[in-house]
Amino acid sequence: MKHIASPALRARPRAEMVAGLQEGVARAAMTGAGRPNRYWPNRYWPNRYWPNRYWPNRYWPNRYWNGWNWATVLAAAWLVSLWIAVSPIRLADGTLFQLFQVGILSVCAAWLAYLLRHLERLSAVLAGAGVMLAAWPVLRLLNHISMANSMPFADPWISALDHAIGFDWLAYSLWVDQNYWLRYAMDQAYTRLDHYAALLFLLLALRSNARERCGEFIRLFLWTALFCMGVGALFPAEAAMLYYAPDESLFLWATHDTGSYHMQSLTALRTDPGHVLHLQQLPGLVTFPSFHTAMGVIAIYCSRGTWWLFGPMLAINLLMIASTPVFGSHYAADIIAGTIVALGMIAIHRTFFSNAPVPTDGMAVTKPIPAPLAV
């Protein structure tokens, strides 16, 4: 049966009908809609809110990057709470009140970041500060309670890996120990990782894409920390200084305590079921893989694209990574594993969060709609 157009459609001028059809086709081609009908799907919906051919959508995972970070921190906090509830490990008196204070500060920083979201750089700094304030004690607590296990120390096979690749830990440590200025520079680079990581975050906020680059740094930090803690709990290790136990008379400066400051806490967690955790006394306990090395690689990666930032970050983090065998008492295998972890997290991030650039106003980028052809 021949289709008969409605009276309203027959009344429209031919030129107007052709122009409308061309406009619908253009919009459908731009948004990926399946039909040239401007009422279904809505011409604004599939482009702005739907993860179409640009998936992951350049609008959604970047504008709300802080939500991913908060979800990670809250999941870690829930795991810590559950673990403490079912285990004999206890928190010291006053720790819950301290955590409550930190939580209030984190929420205030996140709320200010939302209120000042039109100021991209300031909003990025406040949002990142809020996440890090909450993440730091949560990750420290998770690191300690996850190490309260009876897994055998992995030092023998990690040391065997060092021998397989030809790394002589004792010779390297003696060489560093006998060079005063090198030793001093390495000591500062290793022990002040927290300081220049915070400085790097602030400097990243000066970039034109502050929200994207700061979000990238926070995400990589959280993912890497959680992964390193998981692997470190399965493969706990003492320290190269304690495992090799060299004669202290060989060193000018180093002692058996150098790089093994974590052993007192690690031993207490493995031997005392009712160990009490003090928030101010939670050193890092992961030896394999090296978290310092992973953070050094991440810091170098996040500083890319800015010549005045990349050069200093490259120099100080390479120095810091070189210092880990002495001041962190790490094996060479720890450093290699930390590098692999960091590169893996960067690859995952680039796959799911860096598919398209983000404009500074936080809105999706769309192609211009071509004008209807004259008939």
Side-chain angles (χ1 to χ4, degrees), residues 153 237-239 242 259-270 283-285 287:
F153 284 126
E238 295 178 304
L242 296 180
S260 56
Y261 52 85
H262 67 291
M263 277 308 299
Q264 182 177 358
S265 298
L266 182 59
T267 303
L269 286 166
R270 292 170 63 89
L285 303 181
T287 297

Side-chain angles (χ1 to χ4, degrees), residues 321-344:
I321 293 173
S323 71
T324 54
V326 180
F327 295 94
S329 198
H330 281 285
Y331 303 91
D334 302 339
I335 300 173
I336 296 173
T339 303
I340 293 174
V341 169
L343 295 178

